[in-house]
Amino acid sequence: MHIYKLIIMKISKTNHNKKELIRLNKYIAEAGFTSRRKADELIQNGEVKVNKKIVTELGTKIFTDDNVVVSGKTIYVTHKHIYILLNKPKNCITSTSDEKGRKTVMDIVKMHDRVFPVGRLDRNTTGVLLFTNDGELANVLMHPKYKIKRIYNAKLDKVLTSTDAQKIANGIDIGDNIVTSPCDVFIDPENKHKATITLTEGKNHEIRKMFEAAGYEVKSLDRKYYYNLSTKGLARGKYRFLEKKEINDLRKLIK
């Protein structure tokens, strides 16, 4: 009986040693919880437990099957990366859950594997929304320093003048001492109630606030492009898995 237990212990130890070691901050980032830099802050603040023990030392390496809890939430990394593109409809919240019981994007994109939306779109903003479990890529796409291009079509309550379009393009004060970064604003020559805006960062409600600061109300807003991703050929409220070329283009951002 004792020999049998000894054999089991040896096998278990051998198998564990074969598992991959990974830096704790990278594990947290790949799980999609936050960036590596923020993960380091959480570790230093005692917010991270590995196998029920608080870890505060930066550079700590763990096994991929260790139990990791961050700020009270168990996280995990799936080695199979998933990439999904949704053409987000209106009246839908970009969140994994909603305490008020409102419809979320997760009610549309139903997956057995855990995926999460990259960034946010307002409840009534439609268009390109990426879902993935690739936390490292998600952090690159959302980080301002990478200047990821986003293209929106906006419909306004009145004709957009070239003067106001230029003010917005140059950067406009949207309140609280916040001035937006320069962007491209193109007025539709056939319908001057409509404009196309190209940004390389995405502050909360930024486009609506930009036009509001210039005296306009955005009646509808649709994101047409997010980096190389487009809703072309995808009906509103429908989603699809990314093609290999699209994934490879996205992954180049990390490299």
Side-chain angles (χ1 to χ4, degrees):
M1 185 69 174
H2 292 294
I3 296 174
Y4 176 76
K5 284 185 177 179
L6 184 60
I7 292 171
I8 293 296
M9 288 174 67
K10 284 184 177 179
I11 291 173
S12 176
K13 187 175 180 181
T14 302
N15 287 341
H16 194 69
N17 287 339
K18 287 182 179 179
K19 292 185 182 298
E20 181 187 355
L21 275 170
I22 184 173
R23 290 176 73 96
L24 181 54
N25 64 349
K26 183 179 180 183
Y27 184 95
I28 294 170
E30 289 192 354
F33 192 89
T34 188
S35 66
R36 291 195 199 187
R37 183 174 60 82
K38 291 289 185 183
D40 282 337
E41 293 177 10
L42 291 168
I43 292 168
Q44 289 180 307
N45 293 334
E47 292 287 320
V48 180
K49 289 183 179 180
V50 178
N51 298 330
K52 299 184 179 179
K53 293 182 179 179
I54 294 175
V55 175
T56 57
E57 185 178 346
L58 297 180
T60 296
K61 289 188 176 182
I62 65 169
F63 289 103
T64 52
D65 64 341
D66 282 336
N67 178 259
V68 180
V69 177
V70 182
S71 302
K73 182 179 180 181
T74 301
I75 64 171
Y76 62 93
V77 172
T78 355
H79 291 287
K80 178 187 175 185
H81 285 145
I82 300 170
Y83 307 89
I84 294 172
L85 174 63
L86 168 69
N87 188 344
K88 180 187 172 295
K90 289 180 67 175
N91 298 316
C92 187
I93 297 170
T94 307
S95 175
T96 53
S97 62
D98 182 63
E99 59 184 17
K100 296 180 181 179
R102 293 171 295 184
K103 183 178 180 180
T104 75
V105 290
M106 303 311 296
D107 293 321
I108 302 173
V109 180
K110 296 179 179 179
M111 295 289 298
H112 292 295
D113 295 299
R114 177 180 175 269
V115 294
F116 50 88
V118 177
R120 286 180 173 272
L121 287 179
D122 297 342
R123 183 179 183 183
N124 289 321
T125 299
T126 58
V128 176
L129 185 61
L130 175 67
F131 293 75
T132 186
N133 55 3
D134 186 342
E136 193 171 13
L137 173 64
N139 287 319
V140 169
L141 288 170
M142 291 187 289
H143 201 292
K145 79 174 184 180
Y146 293 101
K147 298 186 180 299
I148 302 301
K149 184 173 68 175
R150 303 158 169 86
I151 301 178
Y152 295 81
N153 284 348
K155 183 178 180 181
L156 308 172
D157 61 333
K158 58 186 178 182
V159 169
L160 176 61
T161 67
S162 56
T163 302
D164 287 337
Q166 191 61 53
K167 286 180 183 177
I168 294 170
N170 291 339
I172 191 167
D173 188 338
I174 58 175
D176 297 324
N177 295 318
I178 299 173
V179 177
T180 59
S181 299
C183 63
D184 294 329
V185 181
F186 174 77
I187 303 172
D188 186 337
E190 296 182 2
N191 184 346
K192 295 187 177 181
H193 285 77
K194 295 180 179 180
T196 299
I197 307 95
T198 302
L199 304 172
T200 54
E201 60 179 341
K203 295 184 178 70
N204 196 28
H205 307 295
E206 182 174 16
I207 292 178
R208 295 180 188 277
K209 289 179 180 178
M210 285 161 49
F211 281 103
E212 183 181 341
Y216 298 82
E217 180 186 352
V218 176
K219 305 300 288 185
S220 66
L221 187 62
D222 183 55
R223 184 157 69 186
K224 303 303 293 183
Y225 279 90
Y226 187 68
Y227 188 57
N228 65 334
L229 303 178
S230 165
T231 55
K232 185 177 180 180
L234 187 63
R236 188 82 73 216
K238 300 296 182 181
Y239 67 90
R240 65 173 176 82
F241 290 89
L242 294 194
E243 298 174 0
K244 187 175 181 179
K245 183 182 183 303
E246 292 173 315
I247 295 171
N248 289 340
D249 286 345
L250 286 171
R251 294 290 302 176
K252 287 177 184 176
L253 291 171
I254 298 174
K255 296 176 183 179

